[in-house]
Amino acid sequence: MSALENAKRFWKDFSKREPEIKKALINEDYEKCQELILDLDEYAYAHFGCHFFVDNAYSDFEMTWDTGPNKTTQYLASMVCETAPVSIQKSWILQPFLPPLSQKAIQAQVQIKDEIYSLTDFLLFYEPQEAQNTWKCWIYCPGFSLIPNAENKREMSIYLLEMALGQCAYEAYVGEVDSLDAPDPNRAFCNLVDAYETFMDQVEKKGWKTYSSPLDIYSVYQPIKEIADDSFRKDMKFLFTTHPLFTEDTIEGNSDVLKDLEAKEGEFGTIYYGNLFGSREDALFRQQLSIQLGKAFIPYAKVIAGSIGKSFSYIDVIVFDREQFNLGLQKIQKKLDKQVKLYYQKF
């Protein structure tokens, strides 16, 4: 089996129950709905690393994948949504990551002592960090003063802000998060349920970059000088990635991220080739090739990172089906034979 085959099996089982799931949602029989998706959700968590939930919001059937910040899981959930049967894509809104103010957020409750608080009871205080195009945030709740553990309050604040903003906006625009035991009159604030609209209005006014997915958010690295020699992957001078933890692990020689994906029957690898020009043209060629490969690999792989080295250029990928990926890479190589010779190595 492969991660891609696991996705196809998930949709095969989901499709069999789809009419019953829709009926339960229409009738607002949420207990029955949970019964219908229970083992499907367990399968999803085991093979893709996250849970999903379904809803009938404003007469639209929605399926949302609650990936959290784990990039490997985000890529797997995105692949699952992309491989959904056409009939599912036509009748469901498929969301591969948590959107702003999802049904989960609206229904979220926090109990502090004897009081229960919903998202409307929280305030967001914020100030811009212009150099990073992010905000430093503080969450206030009347009950926070009753919690002695500061770390517990901070973790609760992160969780609530993530649900209010959605995964993409949270990752793109939040730099730091903490809690407040009392309102701060010296900082701008809004109700937590208005956080997404407030932030995006400011993003537009400030001209900050916008993103449609957390997988569009790139981090840039310059490796330490000690690894910058001429050998394979030791010659990297400039790196950019949508999966920072994976990049850090590969540089440091760790394998936690690799093992996590292997357990879900996928793999990380790198496509590499000798630099052609020995100039800035290498960066432009690598960028164009990366786009070309990214389009060609759907749905069995995705480009997640890249780097320019002194001797080689690298295009890192997450592979959902190794057999199909190998065939696809061979076809691409035939088209590029007169330009460049591509090689692939699993991490």
Side-chain angles (χ1 to χ4, degrees):
M1 294 287 283
S2 67
L4 181 59
E5 290 170 333
N6 291 334
K8 292 178 179 179
R9 178 180 170 183
F10 170 85
W11 287 120
K12 181 179 180 181
D13 292 341
F14 182 87
S15 296
K16 292 177 182 178
R17 299 183 202 177
E18 183 193 10
E20 291 182 89
I21 293 171
K22 284 183 174 179
K23 182 178 179 181
L25 288 172
I26 292 171
N27 294 334
E28 298 184 359
D29 189 348
Y30 300 115
E31 185 175 344
K32 177 64 175 178
C33 187
Q34 285 301 113
E35 291 178 6
L36 289 167
I37 69 170
L38 180 61
D39 61 330
L40 291 171
D41 186 53
E42 291 174 348
Y43 181 90
Y45 186 77
H47 291 86
F48 313 125
C50 63
H51 297 287
F52 74 92
F53 57 91
V54 295
D55 190 31
N56 183 19
Y58 309 107
S59 301
D60 291 320
F61 297 107
E62 295 184 1
M63 173 186 285
T64 301
W65 294 78
D66 192 4
T67 63
N70 187 305
K71 288 297 174 185
T72 299
T73 299
Q74 288 178 6
Y75 270 108
L76 287 167
S78 178
M79 178 271 294
V80 174
C81 290
E82 288 173 356
T83 55
V86 174
S87 60
I88 298 292
Q89 295 188 26
K90 286 182 176 180
S91 58
W92 288 79
I93 297 173
L94 303 177
Q95 303 186 112
F97 52 89
L98 203 64
L101 283 181
S102 66
Q103 193 65 25
K104 178 181 178 180
I106 294 170
Q107 295 174 347
Q109 293 183 328
V110 175
Q111 183 169 349
I112 302 175
K113 301 298 184 180
D114 296 327
E115 294 292 328
I116 295 178
Y117 301 92
S118 66
L119 223 60
T120 57
D121 297 312
F122 292 81
L123 294 179
L124 168 65
F125 291 80
Y126 58 93
E127 65 180 34
Q129 298 175 305
E130 298 287 356
Q132 295 81 30
N133 287 2
T134 60
W135 279 280
K136 187 174 183 179
C137 301
W138 296 264
I139 305 297
Y140 164 72
C141 172
F144 273 175
S145 61
L146 303 175
I147 302 176
N149 190 307
E151 185 60 24
N152 286 349
K153 287 185 286 189
R154 193 182 76 87
E155 290 179 358
M156 190 184 302
S157 297
I158 291 172
Y159 175 72
L160 293 170
L161 184 57
E162 186 179 66
M163 286 199 296
L165 292 177
Q167 196 64 44
C168 185
Y170 178 85
E171 291 188 21
Y173 305 119
V174 176
E176 300 177 54
V177 184
D178 212 335
S179 64
L180 288 174
D181 288 344
D184 187 340
N186 298 316
R187 291 195 175 96
F189 73 95
C190 65
N191 194 286
L192 191 53
V193 295
D194 299 322
Y196 179 76
E197 184 177 348
T198 299
F199 273 17
M200 295 312 295
D201 284 346
Q202 290 294 312
V203 166
E204 184 177 358
K205 290 177 182 177
K206 293 173 181 290
W208 291 357
K209 187 174 181 179
T210 57
Y211 306 90
S212 59
S213 162
L215 300 178
D216 295 334
I217 302 171
Y218 273 84
S219 299
V220 179
Y221 292 79
Q222 284 187 296
I224 56 176
K225 292 182 180 179
E226 283 79 357
I227 74 165
D229 59 43
D230 287 325
S231 58
F232 179 75
R233 287 194 75 83
K234 297 291 185 180
D235 67 334
M236 296 184 295
K237 298 184 292 184
F238 187 76
L239 297 86
F240 29 92
T241 181
T242 59
H243 200 325
L245 186 57
F246 160 74
T247 299
E248 291 169 11
D249 269 15
T250 56
I251 290 175
E252 295 172 4
N254 297 328
S255 59
D256 292 345
V257 176
L258 302 178
K259 289 178 180 178
D260 179 41
L261 181 58
E262 286 176 357
K264 297 174 177 63
E265 299 180 273
E267 72 178 44
F268 289 108
T270 188
I271 297 167
Y272 65 99
Y273 57 91
N275 288 332
L276 303 177
F277 308 104
S279 67
R280 291 183 179 180
E281 290 184 63
D282 284 319
L284 181 59
F285 180 81
R286 198 221 65 83
Q287 183 183 36
Q288 293 172 339
L289 180 59
S290 177
I291 295 171
Q292 182 180 349
L293 293 177
K295 292 178 180 178
F297 287 154
I298 296 173
Y300 49 80
K302 277 195 175 183
V303 173
I304 63 168
S307 57
I308 298 290
K310 290 193 293 182
S311 303
F312 298 95
S313 287
Y314 309 90
I315 299 173
D316 298 339
V317 293
I318 180 171
V319 179
F320 306 121
D321 190 295
R322 179 64 184 271
E323 184 176 348
Q324 290 194 48
F325 172 76
N326 287 341
L327 293 173
L329 189 58
Q330 289 173 19
K331 291 179 181 178
I332 293 168
Q333 180 61 75
K334 288 180 180 178
K335 296 179 181 179
L336 296 173
D337 269 344
K338 294 182 179 180
Q339 287 182 283
V340 65
K341 179 64 176 177
L342 303 179
Y343 302 89
Y344 174 75
Q345 182 168 306
K346 174 184 174 182
F347 280 102

